[in-house]
Structure formats: C-alpha cells, structure tokens
Amino acid sequence: MNVDIPEGKNPIEYVWGDMVPGIGLAAANFSLSVYAHTTLGLREFEAARLRIAQINGCLFCLDWRTERDDQKVEEEFADAVAEWRTTDAFDERTRLAAEYAERYALDHHGLDDEFWDRMTAHYSQTEIVELTMSLGSWLAFGRLNRVLGLDAMCVLPGH
C-alpha cells in the first residue's frame, strides 16, 4: 500500500506527523532516542539495525548508515551482516547483535538459555535492554515504512 502524500510534503513527516500527530510524535521521539542515547558501540549497533533492515526489506533503512564522531561502518559491512554466521569481519559482540536482531524479528520464542548464556557473557543486562528497545524500534518503524511504501518515497540527504 502506498499512502497518498500531498505534493510538496515529506512522506515521513506527513505520515508520522500530520496524519497521526498524537502517535507519530511519540513514535518519532522514540525512534530518534535510539540513535541519540545509545551506549552501544557503532559496529554492534549497526549490525543489529542492518539485520532488522534486511529482514524488513525497508529500502530507506538498508541505505542508511549511522554516523558517530564522523565514523561509519565500512561499505562491505551490510554484506557481512547478511552473512553474520560465517563472516570473519565481526567480533563476538557484533555477531551476537546480528544474531539477536534476526532471532528477535523471526523467532523470539526460540531465544533459549543457550542463547542467553552467550549473550550475557558479552553484554550487560542494561545493554541487552537497550539493544532490545532498539530492535523493537527498528522492527516496528522500518516495517511500517516498508508496508506503507514510505521507504521508496524517502530519499537520504545527499542522494
């Protein structure tokens, strides 16, 4: 489905702001908070975010790269995320972030003791909560953008 966007309006701002201001503003603030207040490292953050983007198929999210302190992940990073099980480009925290993202999106009932033992060996409980909230944001809002066709209407700055 594609939402009808009035000419001259930014699709994201229109849908998230004008159409449902009571919900959209809160959603936008949550979405932005994930980026503004994260304590996670850039590589693990991007591994989780990109794995959700790959699962959702959100074109905008797939094209986006988080930047921190003028740093972004390398160009080949997205390919490594898709191959998180076998890539040698990841440390254990980054690999676990990609795995958690995939399992959160596709098999949350399958998160067993073995997984949590591995996760808690590398992440604090606070980091797990933060990562989980981030995953929820990306899953919900990336999927919303994809399902409503907003991802194909939005253009990244500089493109």
Side-chain angles (χ1 to χ4, degrees):
M1 176 186 158
N2 285 328
V3 175
D4 295 326
I5 308 297
E7 191 170 331
K9 291 279 192 174
N10 175 295
I12 293 284
E13 291 173 4
Y14 177 74
V15 171
W16 287 53
D18 296 346
M19 290 185 80
V20 290
I23 299 169
L25 181 58
N29 284 332
F30 176 44
S31 179
L32 293 171
S33 291
V34 166
Y35 294 88
H37 301 291
T38 187
T39 63
L40 299 169
L42 180 60
R43 291 180 68 77
E44 59 219 29
F45 185 89
E46 278 294 274
R49 189 196 64 74
L50 276 165
R51 190 64 196 123
I52 293 292
Q54 291 166 347
I55 291 165
N56 279 344
C58 176
L59 301 173
F60 182 84
C61 304
L62 287 165
D63 203 25
W64 173 264
R65 293 298 176 274
T66 302
E67 184 174 332
R68 274 199 223 139
D69 301 322
D70 295 322
Q71 298 292 313
K72 290 184 181 183
V73 294
E74 64 274 13
E75 191 64 36
E76 308 79 31
F77 192 82
D79 293 334
V81 169
E83 301 296 325
W84 65 264
R85 288 174 182 83
T86 57
T87 185
D88 59 2
F90 290 172
D91 64 14
E92 197 57 26
R93 280 178 61 97
T94 305
R95 187 179 318 282
L96 276 165
E99 178 182 357
Y100 186 31
E102 182 174 301
R103 292 179 74 171
Y104 182 91
L106 300 176
D107 185 27
H108 62 284
H109 292 287
L111 294 169
D112 56 13
D113 290 341
E114 183 276 329
F115 171 78
W116 288 118
D117 287 346
R118 289 186 294 115
M119 194 70 175
T120 57
H122 294 279
Y123 284 89
S124 71
Q125 288 187 354
T126 300
E127 289 173 319
I128 291 169
V129 170
E130 179 181 329
L131 182 55
T132 304
M133 286 186 176
S134 297
L135 293 171
S137 171
W138 299 320
L139 183 64
F141 302 135
R143 196 160 288 182
L144 176 148
N145 290 337
R146 177 67 181 150
V147 167
L148 297 181
L150 301 176
D151 64 327
M153 293 183 225
C154 296
V155 178
L156 287 171
H159 276 57

